[in-house]
Amino acid sequence: RKEVEQDPGPFNVPEGATVAFNCTYSNSASQSFFWYRQDCRKEPKLLMSVYSSGNEDGRFTAQLNRASQYISLLIRDSKLSDSATYLCVVNTLGRGNTPLVFGKGTRLSVIA
Amino acid sequence: ETGVTQTPRHLVMGMTNKKSLKCEQHLGHNAMYWYKQSAKKPLELMFVYSLEERVENNSVPSRFSPECPNSSHLFLHLHTLQPEDSALYLCASSQGIRTSGRPPGELFFGEGSRLTVL
């Protein structure tokens, strides 16, 4: 089983739609979780951290379910500018000096 | 504007060439990384430097040779590469690494160097 797995995508949604991405991780010792965003031909950038209680940043909501070992990202009222690849990132202390593991990413296309 | 700059942005080289990728971070971070991003694969960590000391070499072939002369600069020297090495090479920096007892903070990436090996 891969350490971090994401929905395969691509997701093609109309403007204004709500879209959800899921991500599962295999290491139960994982401690912190992030969503990064990567635009086409650009570098990844941190979108938001994921906290145990769930957290929201504007139209974006991140949830963590430790029991099931999955993380989700919900985007409400999608904008054209949300089109990008969303990377799930898991941090597992004790995994040496390279605790950050990236998923393959899920591509989102928001269509007018 | 990114605090991590990479040069060159694009590089085409033959299998017998020697070239280098350069990365510079202006964020005062204490750790720097090289990642490889190939199509349809997750980001693959290649090397980690913490306080100029290499702390991770993720089973990377010896045709890739990193160098970290100081905490702000990181190089990736390339020699006799193969066509399958064609990819986007991303440099990143962060504050905090395992030796400090804290996980690495947010990773800040450069825009990448897109390498094509003919």
Side-chain angles (χ1 to χ4, degrees):
Chain A
R1 183 181 171 187
K2 295 191 178 78
E3 284 194 78
V4 178
E5 290 203 72
Q6 294 186 238
D7 284 343
F11 285 59
N12 299 312
V13 303
E15 270 188 294
T18 295
V19 61
F21 304 138
N22 291 326
C23 168
T24 57
Y25 59 96
S26 60
N27 192 331
S28 58
S30 298
Q31 305 234 336
S32 47
F33 311 90
F34 310 89
W35 285 101
Y36 276 70
R37 170 192 168 134
Q38 185 171 20
D39 291 306
C40 189
R41 299 195 166 272
K42 295 282 197 176
E43 74 276 19
K45 291 183 181 177
L46 179 67
L47 176 65
M48 58 196 302
S49 302
V50 187
Y51 302 121
S52 297
S53 53
N55 49 299
E56 194 173 301
D57 182 2
R59 298 180 293 108
F60 298 82
T61 301
Q63 297 274 356
L64 167 64
N65 184 322
R66 283 191 188 272
S68 303
Q69 292 181 207
Y70 86 75
I71 310 132
S72 65
L73 176 68
L74 183 79
I75 306 175
R76 288 183 301 278
D77 189 24
S78 300
K79 311 287 184 199
L80 294 174
S81 57
D82 294 333
S83 298
T85 297
Y86 291 83
L87 303 168
C88 175
V89 184
V90 173
N91 184 344
T92 304
L93 281 178
R95 196 182 173 275
N97 287 304
T98 55
L100 284 177
V101 181
F102 284 77
K104 275 191 190 180
T106 302
R107 199 160 135 240
L108 171 66
S109 289
V110 181
I111 305 157
Chain B
E1 186 179 320
T2 180
V4 180
T5 55
Q6 288 187 242
T7 54
R9 294 290 308 282
H10 300 273
L11 178 63
V12 179
M13 58 189 287
M15 291 195 285
T16 57
N17 292 157
K18 285 185 186 181
K19 297 283 184 186
S20 296
L21 307 180
K22 179 183 172 183
C23 176
E24 184 174 358
Q25 59 101 356
H26 316 276
L27 301 167
H29 289 161
N30 63 8
M32 295 186 76
Y33 311 74
W34 279 116
Y35 280 87
K36 175 182 177 182
Q37 189 171 40
S38 306
K40 301 192 188 301
K41 285 187 174 183
L43 275 167
E44 300 170 59
L45 180 66
M46 300 175 74
F47 302 104
V48 181
Y49 277 82
S50 174
L51 299 169
E52 300 152 44
E53 179 188 345
R54 191 191 311 180
V55 295
E56 190 82 14
N57 176 346
N58 212 17
S59 302
V60 178
S62 58
R63 56 186 185 267
F64 294 92
S65 172
E67 179 191 358
C68 187
N70 55 61
S71 59
S72 301
H73 292 86
L74 186 64
F75 293 89
L76 188 63
H77 303 300
L78 314 170
H79 177 49
T80 58
L81 295 191
Q82 305 297 311
E84 60 265 28
D85 296 322
S86 299
L88 181 67
Y89 289 85
L90 288 159
C91 174
S93 70
S94 74
Q95 190 62 26
I97 196 87
R98 190 181 68 92
T99 51
S100 70
R102 293 178 288 123
E106 177 184 349
L107 282 181
F108 289 80
F109 286 88
E111 292 182 293
S113 295
R114 187 162 294 281
L115 173 67
T116 303
V117 182
L118 301 175

